[in-house]
């Protein structure tokens, strides 16, 4: 119930392409869904987040799509750049504080 | 930019030694988290404090791990005795209630 599933485990995209990472959850009580970006040797950094009353949120090239009925949410990176190469984690929270993280997706954007 | 500061950044020690990791949360944040990251298990929550009080440490092996917040500017995670399986990157994060967490850059721990 507390688990967040994430796919794919790794992703290779050409520069300018669209990167899509998917996550799924079971616990319908989750009320906050952030995405974190992590570069090697650094801690995860908040990228974008959404609440379940919204179906989509866009910030620059990053968009979260949220499907409450399917209990799924996804991150889309438009016009992917080599600088986007990192590990991406989805997460879900019950109370806005205690987060459950997905296993991560390693994204490589080829120049 | 305010940052979560973790020390040391790297630690190599022998099995059986005590290890202490320190975290300075962002000033004004009232929640502190300790996570462990490994290739196999990903990010695991070890402990969680709010207003310096431990709220959840169920992810932590109680016999060898301990987490404390002696004051609002310092959180510590201790391992005694350390074992090779404790080798991982340990992250501290801080935040405010109903706000996202901010992570430090971690302590990379290697137990030989």
């Amino acid at each position: 119930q507390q688990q967040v599933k994430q796919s794919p485990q790794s992703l290779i995209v050409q520069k300018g392409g669209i990167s899509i990472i998917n996550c799924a959850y079971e616990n319908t009580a989750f009320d906050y869904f952030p995405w974190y970006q992590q570069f090697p040797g650094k801690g995860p950094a908040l990228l974008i987040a959404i609440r379940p009353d919204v179906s989509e949120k866009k910030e620059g090239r990053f968009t979260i799509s949220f499907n409450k009925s399917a209990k799924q949410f996804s991150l889309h990176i438009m016009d992917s750049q080599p600088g986007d190469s990192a590990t991406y984690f989805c997460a879900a929270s019950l109370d806005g504080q205690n987060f459950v993280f997905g296993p991560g997706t390693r994204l490589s954007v080829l120049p | 930019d305010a940052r979560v500061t973790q020390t040391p950044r790297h630690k190599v020690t022998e099995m059986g030694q005590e290890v202490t990791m320190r975290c300075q949360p962002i000033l004004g944040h009232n929640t502190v988290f300790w996570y462990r990251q490994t290739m196999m298990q990903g990010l695991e929550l070890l402990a969680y404090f709010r207003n310096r009080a431990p709220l959840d440490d169920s992810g932590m092996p109680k016999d060898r791990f301990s987490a404390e917040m002696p004051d609002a500017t310092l959180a510590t995670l201790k391992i005694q005795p350390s074992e090779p399986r404790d080798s991982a990157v340990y992250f501290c994060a801080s935040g405010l209630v109903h706000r996202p967490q901010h992570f430090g850059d971690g302590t990379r721990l290697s137990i030989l």
Side-chain angles (χ1 to χ4, degrees):
Chain A
Q1 272 262 319
Q2 289 292 84
Q3 193 177 17
V4 174
K5 296 179 181 178
Q6 183 173 347
S7 63
Q9 189 174 4
S10 62
L11 181 62
I12 299 174
V13 174
Q14 292 287 338
K15 178 181 175 181
I18 302 174
S19 303
I20 302 174
I21 305 171
N22 300 298
C23 285
Y25 63 97
E26 287 296 322
N27 190 340
T28 55
F30 286 140
D31 60 2
Y32 184 67
F33 301 87
W35 284 88
Y36 283 82
Q37 179 189 54
Q38 185 179 25
F39 293 106
K42 297 292 186 180
L46 179 69
L47 190 61
I48 187 173
I50 198 168
R51 297 197 182 275
D53 54 349
V54 176
S55 61
E56 185 175 283
K57 183 174 181 179
K58 184 176 182 179
E59 290 184 2
R61 296 184 294 109
F62 301 91
T63 300
I64 300 179
S65 297
F66 188 84
N67 186 330
K68 189 173 181 179
S69 61
K71 294 185 284 187
Q72 294 175 349
F73 58 111
S74 60
L75 176 70
H76 295 235
I77 306 174
M78 311 300 287
D79 187 27
S80 299
Q81 299 296 312
D84 297 330
S85 298
T87 300
Y88 292 81
F89 295 92
C90 61
S93 168
L94 269 171
D95 55 7
Q97 279 294 283
N98 199 353
F99 291 87
V100 177
F101 285 85
T105 296
R106 181 171 292 189
L107 172 64
S108 297
V109 181
L110 303 179
Chain B
D1 271 351
R3 299 174 62 88
V4 174
T5 303
Q6 290 188 246
T7 56
R9 290 296 317 278
H10 303 273
K11 176 75 175 178
V12 180
T13 192
E14 292 187 345
M15 184 173 92
Q17 297 297 305
E18 177 177 299
V19 173
T20 298
M21 291 169 273
R22 293 178 174 80
C23 169
Q24 181 177 358
I26 292 172
L27 188 65
H29 283 185
N30 65 346
T31 58
V32 173
F33 303 80
W34 283 105
Y35 291 90
R36 175 169 61 186
Q37 186 175 43
T38 61
M39 289 296 292
M40 294 300 295
Q41 300 295 328
L43 268 168
E44 302 174 274
L45 178 67
L46 297 176
Y48 161 33
F49 291 78
R50 183 181 293 177
N51 296 323
R52 295 176 55 201
L55 291 192
D56 184 0
D57 61 1
S58 58
M60 211 162 62
K62 300 292 191 304
D63 57 338
R64 299 183 301 108
F65 284 59
S66 62
E68 296 179 343
M69 279 202 74
D71 62 60
T73 64
L74 177 64
T76 63
L77 179 66
K78 290 186 180 180
I79 308 174
Q80 170 62 29
S82 57
E83 297 181 2
R85 59 179 168 154
D86 301 329
S87 298
V89 182
Y90 290 80
F91 287 104
C92 174
S94 73
L96 293 167
V97 177
H98 300 300
R99 291 288 186 272
Q101 303 170 20
H102 297 260
F103 283 77
D105 285 336
T107 293
R108 183 174 294 275
L109 177 64
S110 296
I111 308 297
L112 306 177

